PDB file of all heavy atoms in Angstrom:
ATOM      1  N   LEU A   1     158.113  23.176 -33.599  1.00  0.00           N
ATOM      2  CA  LEU A   1     157.168  24.127 -33.012  1.00  0.00           C
ATOM      3  C   LEU A   1     157.518  24.308 -31.542  1.00  0.00           C
ATOM      4  O   LEU A   1     157.862  23.340 -30.850  1.00  0.00           O
ATOM      5  CB  LEU A   1     155.733  23.606 -33.141  1.00  0.00           C
ATOM      6  CG  LEU A   1     155.157  23.567 -34.551  1.00  0.00           C
ATOM      7  CD1 LEU A   1     153.868  22.755 -34.574  1.00  0.00           C
ATOM      8  CD2 LEU A   1     154.906  24.985 -35.072  1.00  0.00           C
ATOM      9  N   VAL A   2     157.428  25.540 -31.041  1.00  0.00           N
ATOM     10  CA  VAL A   2     157.774  25.812 -29.647  1.00  0.00           C
ATOM     11  C   VAL A   2     156.690  26.642 -28.975  1.00  0.00           C
ATOM     12  O   VAL A   2     155.966  27.399 -29.621  1.00  0.00           O
ATOM     13  CB  VAL A   2     159.136  26.548 -29.528  1.00  0.00           C
ATOM     14  CG1 VAL A   2     160.272  25.681 -30.053  1.00  0.00           C
ATOM     15  CG2 VAL A   2     159.105  27.881 -30.257  1.00  0.00           C
ATOM     16  N   HIS A   3     156.584  26.453 -27.670  1.00  0.00           N
ATOM     17  CA  HIS A   3     155.685  27.265 -26.831  1.00  0.00           C
ATOM     18  C   HIS A   3     156.471  27.695 -25.607  1.00  0.00           C
ATOM     19  O   HIS A   3     157.076  26.864 -24.923  1.00  0.00           O
ATOM     20  CB  HIS A   3     154.455  26.469 -26.396  1.00  0.00           C
ATOM     21  CG  HIS A   3     153.629  27.165 -25.367  1.00  0.00           C
ATOM     22  ND1 HIS A   3     152.801  28.232 -25.666  1.00  0.00           N
ATOM     23  CD2 HIS A   3     153.512  26.966 -24.028  1.00  0.00           C
ATOM     24  CE1 HIS A   3     152.205  28.647 -24.568  1.00  0.00           C
ATOM     25  NE2 HIS A   3     152.617  27.900 -23.556  1.00  0.00           N
ATOM     26  N   GLU A   4     156.489  28.985 -25.314  1.00  0.00           N
ATOM     27  CA  GLU A   4     157.302  29.530 -24.218  1.00  0.00           C
ATOM     28  C   GLU A   4     156.424  30.078 -23.098  1.00  0.00           C
ATOM     29  O   GLU A   4     155.388  30.703 -23.349  1.00  0.00           O
ATOM     30  CB  GLU A   4     158.214  30.639 -24.745  1.00  0.00           C
ATOM     31  CG  GLU A   4     159.143  31.223 -23.712  1.00  0.00           C
ATOM     32  CD  GLU A   4     160.103  32.245 -24.296  1.00  0.00           C
ATOM     33  OE1 GLU A   4     160.011  32.531 -25.502  1.00  0.00           O
ATOM     34  OE2 GLU A   4     160.932  32.770 -23.538  1.00  0.00           O
ATOM     35  N   SER A   5     156.852  29.844 -21.843  1.00  0.00           N
ATOM     36  CA  SER A   5     156.151  30.370 -20.671  1.00  0.00           C
ATOM     37  C   SER A   5     157.126  30.377 -19.500  1.00  0.00           C
ATOM     38  O   SER A   5     158.276  29.960 -19.622  1.00  0.00           O
ATOM     39  CB  SER A   5     154.930  29.510 -20.340  1.00  0.00           C
ATOM     40  OG  SER A   5     155.327  28.188 -20.016  1.00  0.00           O
ATOM     41  N   HIS A   6     156.654  30.879 -18.352  1.00  0.00           N
ATOM     42  CA  HIS A   6     157.414  30.814 -17.109  1.00  0.00           C
ATOM     43  C   HIS A   6     156.612  29.980 -16.104  1.00  0.00           C
ATOM     44  O   HIS A   6     155.396  30.178 -15.971  1.00  0.00           O
ATOM     45  CB  HIS A   6     157.700  32.210 -16.541  1.00  0.00           C
ATOM     46  CG  HIS A   6     158.853  32.894 -17.224  1.00  0.00           C
ATOM     47  ND1 HIS A   6     158.744  33.444 -18.482  1.00  0.00           N
ATOM     48  CD2 HIS A   6     160.145  33.093 -16.823  1.00  0.00           C
ATOM     49  CE1 HIS A   6     159.909  33.971 -18.826  1.00  0.00           C
ATOM     50  NE2 HIS A   6     160.764  33.765 -17.850  1.00  0.00           N
ATOM     51  N   VAL A   7     157.292  29.057 -15.431  1.00  0.00           N
ATOM     52  CA  VAL A   7     156.610  28.119 -14.540  1.00  0.00           C
ATOM     53  C   VAL A   7     157.312  28.093 -13.182  1.00  0.00           C
ATOM     54  O   VAL A   7     158.464  28.501 -13.051  1.00  0.00           O
ATOM     55  CB  VAL A   7     156.589  26.692 -15.138  1.00  0.00           C
ATOM     56  CG1 VAL A   7     155.804  26.671 -16.440  1.00  0.00           C
ATOM     57  CG2 VAL A   7     158.007  26.167 -15.354  1.00  0.00           C
ATOM     58  N   ARG A   8     156.592  27.606 -12.195  1.00  0.00           N
ATOM     59  CA  ARG A   8     157.137  27.392 -10.858  1.00  0.00           C
ATOM     60  C   ARG A   8     157.579  25.940 -10.702  1.00  0.00           C
ATOM     61  O   ARG A   8     156.864  25.037 -11.111  1.00  0.00           O
ATOM     62  CB  ARG A   8     156.091  27.726  -9.793  1.00  0.00           C
ATOM     63  CG  ARG A   8     155.803  29.210  -9.645  1.00  0.00           C
ATOM     64  CD  ARG A   8     156.809  29.858  -8.742  1.00  0.00           C
ATOM     65  NE  ARG A   8     156.495  31.257  -8.446  1.00  0.00           N
ATOM     66  CZ  ARG A   8     157.294  32.050  -7.734  1.00  0.00           C
ATOM     67  NH1 ARG A   8     158.427  31.570  -7.233  1.00  0.00           N
ATOM     68  NH2 ARG A   8     156.963  33.301  -7.513  1.00  0.00           N
ATOM     69  N   LEU A   9     158.761  25.740 -10.117  1.00  0.00           N
ATOM     70  CA  LEU A   9     159.268  24.397  -9.856  1.00  0.00           C
ATOM     71  C   LEU A   9     159.522  24.231  -8.364  1.00  0.00           C
ATOM     72  O   LEU A   9     159.961  25.191  -7.706  1.00  0.00           O
ATOM     73  CB  LEU A   9     160.582  24.157 -10.617  1.00  0.00           C
ATOM     74  CG  LEU A   9     160.527  24.257 -12.144  1.00  0.00           C
ATOM     75  CD1 LEU A   9     161.925  24.077 -12.723  1.00  0.00           C
ATOM     76  CD2 LEU A   9     159.575  23.224 -12.722  1.00  0.00           C
ATOM     77  N   PRO A  10     159.286  23.057  -7.807  1.00  0.00           N
ATOM     78  CA  PRO A  10     159.551  22.841  -6.373  1.00  0.00           C
ATOM     79  C   PRO A  10     161.038  22.981  -6.061  1.00  0.00           C
ATOM     80  O   PRO A  10     161.888  22.410  -6.737  1.00  0.00           O
ATOM     81  CB  PRO A  10     159.070  21.396  -6.134  1.00  0.00           C
ATOM     82  CG  PRO A  10     159.055  20.767  -7.502  1.00  0.00           C
ATOM     83  CD  PRO A  10     158.743  21.857  -8.465  1.00  0.00           C
ATOM     84  N   GLY A  11     161.346  23.795  -5.041  1.00  0.00           N
ATOM     85  CA  GLY A  11     162.737  23.988  -4.654  1.00  0.00           C
ATOM     86  C   GLY A  11     163.455  25.070  -5.430  1.00  0.00           C
ATOM     87  O   GLY A  11     164.623  25.372  -5.143  1.00  0.00           O
ATOM     88  N   TYR A  12     162.777  25.669  -6.422  1.00  0.00           N
ATOM     89  CA  TYR A  12     163.378  26.749  -7.213  1.00  0.00           C
ATOM     90  C   TYR A  12     162.688  28.047  -6.820  1.00  0.00           C
ATOM     91  O   TYR A  12     161.450  28.115  -6.840  1.00  0.00           O
ATOM     92  CB  TYR A  12     163.218  26.472  -8.701  1.00  0.00           C
ATOM     93  CG  TYR A  12     164.171  27.259  -9.568  1.00  0.00           C
ATOM     94  CD1 TYR A  12     165.466  26.812  -9.786  1.00  0.00           C
ATOM     95  CD2 TYR A  12     163.786  28.456 -10.159  1.00  0.00           C
ATOM     96  CE1 TYR A  12     166.357  27.536 -10.574  1.00  0.00           C
ATOM     97  CE2 TYR A  12     164.656  29.187 -10.947  1.00  0.00           C
ATOM     98  CZ  TYR A  12     165.944  28.725 -11.159  1.00  0.00           C
ATOM     99  OH  TYR A  12     166.825  29.448 -11.937  1.00  0.00           O
ATOM    100  N   PRO A  13     163.452  29.102  -6.467  1.00  0.00           N
ATOM    101  CA  PRO A  13     162.853  30.256  -5.788  1.00  0.00           C
ATOM    102  C   PRO A  13     162.023  31.199  -6.645  1.00  0.00           C
ATOM    103  O   PRO A  13     161.273  32.005  -6.112  1.00  0.00           O
ATOM    104  CB  PRO A  13     164.080  30.988  -5.229  1.00  0.00           C
ATOM    105  CG  PRO A  13     165.183  30.636  -6.173  1.00  0.00           C
ATOM    106  CD  PRO A  13     164.908  29.210  -6.591  1.00  0.00           C
ATOM    107  N   ARG A  14     162.122  31.117  -7.951  1.00  0.00           N
ATOM    108  CA  ARG A  14     161.408  32.083  -8.798  1.00  0.00           C
ATOM    109  C   ARG A  14     160.880  31.378 -10.041  1.00  0.00           C
ATOM    110  O   ARG A  14     161.299  30.266 -10.360  1.00  0.00           O
ATOM    111  CB  ARG A  14     162.349  33.230  -9.196  1.00  0.00           C
ATOM    112  CG  ARG A  14     163.534  32.803 -10.073  1.00  0.00           C
ATOM    113  CD  ARG A  14     164.440  33.981 -10.375  1.00  0.00           C
ATOM    114  NE  ARG A  14     165.567  33.606 -11.219  1.00  0.00           N
ATOM    115  CZ  ARG A  14     165.570  33.643 -12.553  1.00  0.00           C
ATOM    116  NH1 ARG A  14     164.471  34.016 -13.196  1.00  0.00           N
ATOM    117  NH2 ARG A  14     166.648  33.308 -13.250  1.00  0.00           N
ATOM    118  N   PRO A  15     159.952  32.014 -10.768  1.00  0.00           N
ATOM    119  CA  PRO A  15     159.487  31.410 -12.018  1.00  0.00           C
ATOM    120  C   PRO A  15     160.648  31.234 -12.991  1.00  0.00           C
ATOM    121  O   PRO A  15     161.510  32.101 -13.109  1.00  0.00           O
ATOM    122  CB  PRO A  15     158.455  32.417 -12.545  1.00  0.00           C
ATOM    123  CG  PRO A  15     158.001  33.161 -11.336  1.00  0.00           C
ATOM    124  CD  PRO A  15     159.194  33.245 -10.434  1.00  0.00           C
ATOM    125  N   ILE A  16     160.676  30.108 -13.682  1.00  0.00           N
ATOM    126  CA  ILE A  16     161.764  29.805 -14.595  1.00  0.00           C
ATOM    127  C   ILE A  16     161.216  29.662 -16.007  1.00  0.00           C
ATOM    128  O   ILE A  16     160.073  29.245 -16.213  1.00  0.00           O
ATOM    129  CB  ILE A  16     162.506  28.519 -14.149  1.00  0.00           C
ATOM    130  CG1 ILE A  16     163.811  28.337 -14.930  1.00  0.00           C
ATOM    131  CG2 ILE A  16     161.613  27.285 -14.286  1.00  0.00           C
ATOM    132  CD1 ILE A  16     164.698  27.244 -14.375  1.00  0.00           C
ATOM    133  N   ARG A  17     162.033  30.030 -16.966  1.00  0.00           N
ATOM    134  CA  ARG A  17     161.636  29.987 -18.373  1.00  0.00           C
ATOM    135  C   ARG A  17     161.512  28.530 -18.847  1.00  0.00           C
ATOM    136  O   ARG A  17     162.424  27.738 -18.675  1.00  0.00           O
ATOM    137  CB  ARG A  17     162.684  30.718 -19.210  1.00  0.00           C
ATOM    138  CG  ARG A  17     162.349  30.878 -20.686  1.00  0.00           C
ATOM    139  CD  ARG A  17     163.495  31.592 -21.390  1.00  0.00           C
ATOM    140  NE  ARG A  17     163.185  31.909 -22.775  1.00  0.00           N
ATOM    141  CZ  ARG A  17     164.072  32.441 -23.630  1.00  0.00           C
ATOM    142  NH1 ARG A  17     165.303  32.701 -23.206  1.00  0.00           N
ATOM    143  NH2 ARG A  17     163.734  32.705 -24.875  1.00  0.00           N
ATOM    144  N   GLN A  18     160.369  28.215 -19.438  1.00  0.00           N
ATOM    145  CA  GLN A  18     160.129  26.878 -19.964  1.00  0.00           C
ATOM    146  C   GLN A  18     159.795  26.963 -21.448  1.00  0.00           C
ATOM    147  O   GLN A  18     158.994  27.783 -21.866  1.00  0.00           O
ATOM    148  CB  GLN A  18     158.978  26.193 -19.228  1.00  0.00           C
ATOM    149  CG  GLN A  18     158.581  24.842 -19.809  1.00  0.00           C
ATOM    150  CD  GLN A  18     157.475  24.170 -19.026  1.00  0.00           C
ATOM    151  OE1 GLN A  18     157.724  23.457 -18.072  1.00  0.00           O
ATOM    152  NE2 GLN A  18     156.227  24.408 -19.424  1.00  0.00           N
ATOM    153  N   ILE A  19     160.428  26.095 -22.222  1.00  0.00           N
ATOM    154  CA  ILE A  19     160.175  26.030 -23.662  1.00  0.00           C
ATOM    155  C   ILE A  19     159.725  24.604 -23.991  1.00  0.00           C
ATOM    156  O   ILE A  19     160.467  23.651 -23.762  1.00  0.00           O
ATOM    157  CB  ILE A  19     161.438  26.388 -24.473  1.00  0.00           C
ATOM    158  CG1 ILE A  19     161.895  27.816 -24.148  1.00  0.00           C
ATOM    159  CG2 ILE A  19     161.181  26.234 -25.972  1.00  0.00           C
ATOM    160  CD1 ILE A  19     163.272  28.161 -24.682  1.00  0.00           C
ATOM    161  N   ILE A  20     158.509  24.474 -24.486  1.00  0.00           N
ATOM    162  CA  ILE A  20     158.004  23.171 -24.908  1.00  0.00           C
ATOM    163  C   ILE A  20     158.231  23.051 -26.418  1.00  0.00           C
ATOM    164  O   ILE A  20     157.939  23.985 -27.167  1.00  0.00           O
ATOM    165  CB  ILE A  20     156.507  23.007 -24.593  1.00  0.00           C
ATOM    166  CG1 ILE A  20     156.219  23.354 -23.125  1.00  0.00           C
ATOM    167  CG2 ILE A  20     156.048  21.587 -24.886  1.00  0.00           C
ATOM    168  CD1 ILE A  20     154.748  23.334 -22.769  1.00  0.00           C
ATOM    169  N   MET A  21     158.748  21.915 -26.842  1.00  0.00           N
ATOM    170  CA  MET A  21     159.108  21.737 -28.241  1.00  0.00           C
ATOM    171  C   MET A  21     158.407  20.506 -28.821  1.00  0.00           C
ATOM    172  O   MET A  21     158.394  19.446 -28.195  1.00  0.00           O
ATOM    173  CB  MET A  21     160.630  21.595 -28.344  1.00  0.00           C
ATOM    174  CG  MET A  21     161.176  21.576 -29.741  1.00  0.00           C
ATOM    175  SD  MET A  21     162.973  21.876 -29.814  1.00  0.00           S
ATOM    176  CE  MET A  21     163.567  20.814 -28.487  1.00  0.00           C
ATOM    177  N   ARG A  22     157.841  20.684 -30.003  1.00  0.00           N
ATOM    178  CA  ARG A  22     157.193  19.588 -30.741  1.00  0.00           C
ATOM    179  C   ARG A  22     157.763  19.542 -32.151  1.00  0.00           C
ATOM    180  O   ARG A  22     158.321  20.510 -32.642  1.00  0.00           O
ATOM    181  CB  ARG A  22     155.684  19.815 -30.833  1.00  0.00           C
ATOM    182  CG  ARG A  22     154.924  19.667 -29.550  1.00  0.00           C
ATOM    183  CD  ARG A  22     153.479  20.096 -29.719  1.00  0.00           C
ATOM    184  NE  ARG A  22     152.866  19.512 -30.917  1.00  0.00           N
ATOM    185  CZ  ARG A  22     151.752  19.968 -31.482  1.00  0.00           C
ATOM    186  NH1 ARG A  22     151.132  21.003 -30.972  1.00  0.00           N
ATOM    187  NH2 ARG A  22     151.263  19.382 -32.546  1.00  0.00           N
ATOM    188  N   GLY A  23     157.608  18.381 -32.802  1.00  0.00           N
ATOM    189  CA  GLY A  23     158.071  18.262 -34.182  1.00  0.00           C
ATOM    190  C   GLY A  23     159.574  18.188 -34.304  1.00  0.00           C
ATOM    191  O   GLY A  23     160.142  18.617 -35.310  1.00  0.00           O
ATOM    192  N   ASN A  24     160.229  17.633 -33.267  1.00  0.00           N
ATOM    193  CA  ASN A  24     161.688  17.517 -33.279  1.00  0.00           C
ATOM    194  C   ASN A  24     162.146  16.066 -33.392  1.00  0.00           C
ATOM    195  O   ASN A  24     163.265  15.729 -33.029  1.00  0.00           O
ATOM    196  CB  ASN A  24     162.276  18.148 -32.013  1.00  0.00           C
ATOM    197  CG  ASN A  24     161.771  17.488 -30.742  1.00  0.00           C
ATOM    198  OD1 ASN A  24     160.703  16.890 -30.728  1.00  0.00           O
ATOM    199  ND2 ASN A  24     162.525  17.596 -29.672  1.00  0.00           N
ATOM    200  N   GLY A  25     161.264  15.212 -33.891  1.00  0.00           N
ATOM    201  CA  GLY A  25     161.624  13.815 -34.075  1.00  0.00           C
ATOM    202  C   GLY A  25     161.235  12.914 -32.921  1.00  0.00           C
ATOM    203  O   GLY A  25     161.412  11.697 -32.998  1.00  0.00           O
ATOM    204  N   HIS A  26     160.708  13.486 -31.832  1.00  0.00           N
ATOM    205  CA  HIS A  26     160.271  12.697 -30.685  1.00  0.00           C
ATOM    206  C   HIS A  26     158.746  12.596 -30.670  1.00  0.00           C
ATOM    207  O   HIS A  26     158.044  13.532 -31.067  1.00  0.00           O
ATOM    208  CB  HIS A  26     160.768  13.325 -29.378  1.00  0.00           C
ATOM    209  CG  HIS A  26     162.262  13.363 -29.271  1.00  0.00           C
ATOM    210  ND1 HIS A  26     163.010  12.295 -28.843  1.00  0.00           N
ATOM    211  CD2 HIS A  26     163.149  14.349 -29.551  1.00  0.00           C
ATOM    212  CE1 HIS A  26     164.290  12.607 -28.854  1.00  0.00           C
ATOM    213  NE2 HIS A  26     164.410  13.850 -29.284  1.00  0.00           N
ATOM    214  N   GLU A  27     158.242  11.484 -30.181  1.00  0.00           N
ATOM    215  CA  GLU A  27     156.793  11.269 -30.165  1.00  0.00           C
ATOM    216  C   GLU A  27     156.106  12.228 -29.207  1.00  0.00           C
ATOM    217  O   GLU A  27     155.040  12.765 -29.517  1.00  0.00           O
ATOM    218  CB  GLU A  27     156.498   9.815 -29.771  1.00  0.00           C
ATOM    219  CG  GLU A  27     155.019   9.482 -29.764  1.00  0.00           C
ATOM    220  CD  GLU A  27     154.756   8.044 -29.361  1.00  0.00           C
ATOM    221  OE1 GLU A  27     155.732   7.264 -29.221  1.00  0.00           O
ATOM    222  OE2 GLU A  27     153.577   7.688 -29.163  1.00  0.00           O
ATOM    223  N   LYS A  28     156.691  12.442 -28.026  1.00  0.00           N
ATOM    224  CA  LYS A  28     156.110  13.322 -27.017  1.00  0.00           C
ATOM    225  C   LYS A  28     156.815  14.678 -27.009  1.00  0.00           C
ATOM    226  O   LYS A  28     157.971  14.785 -27.428  1.00  0.00           O
ATOM    227  CB  LYS A  28     156.233  12.678 -25.633  1.00  0.00           C
ATOM    228  CG  LYS A  28     155.530  11.333 -25.509  1.00  0.00           C
ATOM    229  CD  LYS A  28     154.024  11.471 -25.687  1.00  0.00           C
ATOM    230  CE  LYS A  28     153.328  10.133 -25.484  1.00  0.00           C
ATOM    231  NZ  LYS A  28     151.867  10.241 -25.688  1.00  0.00           N
ATOM    232  N   PRO A  29     156.153  15.736 -26.523  1.00  0.00           N
ATOM    233  CA  PRO A  29     156.796  17.049 -26.446  1.00  0.00           C
ATOM    234  C   PRO A  29     158.025  17.025 -25.537  1.00  0.00           C
ATOM    235  O   PRO A  29     158.094  16.258 -24.577  1.00  0.00           O
ATOM    236  CB  PRO A  29     155.698  17.953 -25.861  1.00  0.00           C
ATOM    237  CG  PRO A  29     154.422  17.229 -26.097  1.00  0.00           C
ATOM    238  CD  PRO A  29     154.753  15.778 -26.066  1.00  0.00           C
ATOM    239  N   THR A  30     159.010  17.853 -25.864  1.00  0.00           N
ATOM    240  CA  THR A  30     160.208  18.015 -25.059  1.00  0.00           C
ATOM    241  C   THR A  30     160.085  19.302 -24.255  1.00  0.00           C
ATOM    242  O   THR A  30     159.703  20.341 -24.796  1.00  0.00           O
ATOM    243  CB  THR A  30     161.460  18.079 -25.959  1.00  0.00           C
ATOM    244  OG1 THR A  30     161.566  16.859 -26.692  1.00  0.00           O
ATOM    245  CG2 THR A  30     162.717  18.282 -25.136  1.00  0.00           C
ATOM    246  N   PHE A  31     160.431  19.263 -22.951  1.00  0.00           N
ATOM    247  CA  PHE A  31     160.316  20.420 -22.066  1.00  0.00           C
ATOM    248  C   PHE A  31     161.715  20.895 -21.687  1.00  0.00           C
ATOM    249  O   PHE A  31     162.438  20.213 -20.955  1.00  0.00           O
ATOM    250  CB  PHE A  31     159.532  20.061 -20.802  1.00  0.00           C
ATOM    251  CG  PHE A  31     158.086  19.741 -21.036  1.00  0.00           C
ATOM    252  CD1 PHE A  31     157.719  18.515 -21.578  1.00  0.00           C
ATOM    253  CD2 PHE A  31     157.094  20.661 -20.737  1.00  0.00           C
ATOM    254  CE1 PHE A  31     156.387  18.207 -21.803  1.00  0.00           C
ATOM    255  CE2 PHE A  31     155.752  20.364 -20.959  1.00  0.00           C
ATOM    256  CZ  PHE A  31     155.398  19.130 -21.500  1.00  0.00           C
ATOM    257  N   LEU A  32     162.104  22.072 -22.180  1.00  0.00           N
ATOM    258  CA  LEU A  32     163.371  22.682 -21.795  1.00  0.00           C
ATOM    259  C   LEU A  32     163.119  23.717 -20.708  1.00  0.00           C
ATOM    260  O   LEU A  32     162.111  24.428 -20.741  1.00  0.00           O
ATOM    261  CB  LEU A  32     164.034  23.379 -22.986  1.00  0.00           C
ATOM    262  CG  LEU A  32     164.418  22.543 -24.198  1.00  0.00           C
ATOM    263  CD1 LEU A  32     165.047  23.436 -25.265  1.00  0.00           C
ATOM    264  CD2 LEU A  32     165.370  21.436 -23.806  1.00  0.00           C
ATOM    265  N   ILE A  33     164.031  23.816 -19.726  1.00  0.00           N
ATOM    266  CA  ILE A  33     163.975  24.894 -18.739  1.00  0.00           C
ATOM    267  C   ILE A  33     165.347  25.561 -18.702  1.00  0.00           C
ATOM    268  O   ILE A  33     166.387  24.901 -18.844  1.00  0.00           O
ATOM    269  CB  ILE A  33     163.569  24.395 -17.334  1.00  0.00           C
ATOM    270  CG1 ILE A  33     164.419  23.202 -16.895  1.00  0.00           C
ATOM    271  CG2 ILE A  33     162.091  24.066 -17.286  1.00  0.00           C
ATOM    272  CD1 ILE A  33     164.145  22.740 -15.475  1.00  0.00           C
ATOM    273  N   THR A  34     165.345  26.871 -18.512  1.00  0.00           N
ATOM    274  CA  THR A  34     166.588  27.632 -18.488  1.00  0.00           C
ATOM    275  C   THR A  34     166.411  28.881 -17.632  1.00  0.00           C
ATOM    276  O   THR A  34     165.308  29.428 -17.540  1.00  0.00           O
ATOM    277  CB  THR A  34     167.024  28.027 -19.914  1.00  0.00           C
ATOM    278  OG1 THR A  34     168.228  28.808 -19.846  1.00  0.00           O
ATOM    279  CG2 THR A  34     165.955  28.837 -20.631  1.00  0.00           C
ATOM    280  N   ASN A  35     167.500  29.324 -17.011  1.00  0.00           N
ATOM    281  CA  ASN A  35     167.469  30.585 -16.270  1.00  0.00           C
ATOM    282  C   ASN A  35     167.947  31.740 -17.133  1.00  0.00           C
ATOM    283  O   ASN A  35     168.141  32.850 -16.630  1.00  0.00           O
ATOM    284  CB  ASN A  35     168.306  30.485 -14.992  1.00  0.00           C
ATOM    285  CG  ASN A  35     169.783  30.231 -15.278  1.00  0.00           C
ATOM    286  OD1 ASN A  35     170.154  29.821 -16.381  1.00  0.00           O
ATOM    287  ND2 ASN A  35     170.625  30.464 -14.290  1.00  0.00           N
ATOM    288  N   ASP A  36     168.149  31.493 -18.408  1.00  0.00           N
ATOM    289  CA  ASP A  36     168.540  32.528 -19.370  1.00  0.00           C
ATOM    290  C   ASP A  36     167.273  33.132 -19.965  1.00  0.00           C
ATOM    291  O   ASP A  36     166.634  32.528 -20.830  1.00  0.00           O
ATOM    292  CB  ASP A  36     169.420  31.913 -20.460  1.00  0.00           C
ATOM    293  CG  ASP A  36     169.989  32.954 -21.412  1.00  0.00           C
ATOM    294  OD1 ASP A  36     169.496  34.096 -21.414  1.00  0.00           O
ATOM    295  OD2 ASP A  36     170.936  32.621 -22.153  1.00  0.00           O
TER     296      ASP A  36
END
């Protein structure tokens, strides 16, 4: 399962794409960030 949004990060000049992933074999959610 995934949830997509754009977030602000310290030191990064613009909102960046964030993908939160669940149900991938890990106990806690995984947070991916990409400029794509």
Side-chain angles (χ1 to χ4, degrees):
L1 291 167
V2 297
H3 170 75
E4 183 176 3
S5 62
H6 280 75
V7 297
R8 288 276 186 184
L9 299 177
Y12 199 83
R14 64 182 181 90
I16 191 170
R17 186 181 186 185
Q18 174 178 272
I19 299 169
I20 309 175
M21 187 164 45
R22 290 172 48 198
N24 60 336
H26 297 277
E27 182 180 353
K28 300 296 183 182
T30 299
F31 293 76
L32 299 179
I33 51 175
T34 178
N35 63 343
D36 186 345

